[in-house]
Amino acid sequence: MPSHLSADRPAAQPPGRGSVDALISQTRRLKGDVDAVRRDTQSDGADPQERWQRALCDLALHQLNDLDEHLAQLRDGPPSVPAPPGAAPSVPAAPPAPRRGSLLSRVGSAEWNLLTDEASWSGELYQILGRDPAAPPLTLDELPSLVLDEDRPKLTAMVTDCLVDAKPIDGEFRVVRPDGDVRTVHMMGEPVLAADGSTASMWAVLRDVSELRRSQRAVNETRDSLQRHRHRAQTEHRLAVELQEAVLPPWRGSLRLPHQGPETLDLAAHYLPSSTSALIGGDWYDALELADGETLLSVGDLTGHGVAVTSGMAMLLGAVRGMAMAGTQPGQLMAWLNQLLDATVQPALGSAVCCRYRPETRTLVWAQAGHPAPLLFRDGTGRTLHAPDGVLLGATSGASYEQAEETLEAGDLLLLHTDGLVPLHDRTDTRTDTVHRLLDLAPRFGEARTAQDCVRTVVEEFGEREREDDACVLVARVI
């Protein structure tokens, strides 16, 4: 209320009923839209993003409910008005019981006459504060007795600024109802000036905003939780990337082995990350020159994503390298690898292919554990090597793994890969379809000059991005 008005306030003219009805209709349509979004959001979902969306919908619905009911009261007129200063306090004999959460139970008004020290409250204010309607309204000096201790200075400052400096009141404080319930009240008020310019009374509207503030707290808590979740995810992703980079072979592009003496293998590999997960998976590739002059080739995949999976992958790859360096053959190596994974604290499943290449005889000895078999390309055609028996790592205790032997020729190309090569737009492809697509690349491999050229061909065929899972490809060309 403007401060130049006297205690005798003219009646406000209500707005056009039609325009208010139109606003009410628009508000209710918007409520329906928000509620539809809210119903589509899982209430008990573990995804912080879903909890954030639902909390925002709850807050929006509270705000729209308030707006709807405020507009209805604006259209219908106030249900009760405080008595003018000096008159007997207006106390309804039997106020109707408002429905839970309705506007009538949340908005009340009051006026305090500074000249007579009398007060008048609306019936709704009694309901907000939980006071007996038959009791006299509290004076300004008595009002702080309802307020929490830590909020009393705030109320006192607002009232003092209003009465002394004619400043409008706009603030919140918490009150304790007689039943012990704590409610948050938003108070808006103005001084009412007498003809001589002095403050004659103070008029205020008080609104129970407890549920609204509860919803806002839920939104803030969910937002904070989401921020913490994102921070943890970013930290975990960074750690996983650093761990992966530390474990995977340090060479990039092409590699020729052995380092000393005549070169026998031209090698290249590539890691393709998932586009649907921010976390790093457990795929690996490796090529290692062994002490006896042979070469270790391996690819594998530990199921899952994140630091724990990347750490498990590092453990498996370290075990593969150590056992291979000690001379363990692929079949026995897989059996011990399965035993190692079975003995870990957190159960996990993995797949792998492990090969030992003997350059003197161009012999490849290999074993697999639930993994796609290597592909052999020769003279412009390709085929899948016949896979020896071997179950997934960690699937069963005491599993044994057979091994196979293949004699290679100069110019042969060996391709090892993990599942996950297929992009999202080809997600209906099976493992067999993937193998067929790789075998169809045989003519292009025949024209390639290096192993690195072959890897580029695979990446071009399957795409660098837009895949559901991580993938690795390793190419070895016999020199």
Side-chain angles (χ1 to χ4, degrees), residues 323-363:
M323 288 187 285
M325 190 65 74
T328 306
Q329 293 301 302
Q332 183 60 58
L333 188 150
M334 286 296 181
W336 285 346
L337 209 61
N338 176 71
Q339 186 175 349
L340 174 63
L341 195 59
D342 186 57
T344 57
V345 176
Q346 294 185 342
L349 291 175
S351 68
V353 166
C354 181
C355 311
R356 290 181 71 104
Y357 177 67
R358 188 176 304 120
E360 295 85 356
T361 59
R362 293 191 178 130
T363 302

Side-chain angles (χ1 to χ4, degrees), residues 418-439:
T418 62
D419 286 327
L421 276 177
V422 179
L424 289 173
H425 54 78
D426 294 331
R427 67 176 64 184
T428 56
D429 283 9
T430 63
R431 176 182 286 186
T432 301
D433 296 327
T434 302
V435 170
H436 287 162
R437 290 177 61 179
L438 286 169
L439 292 176

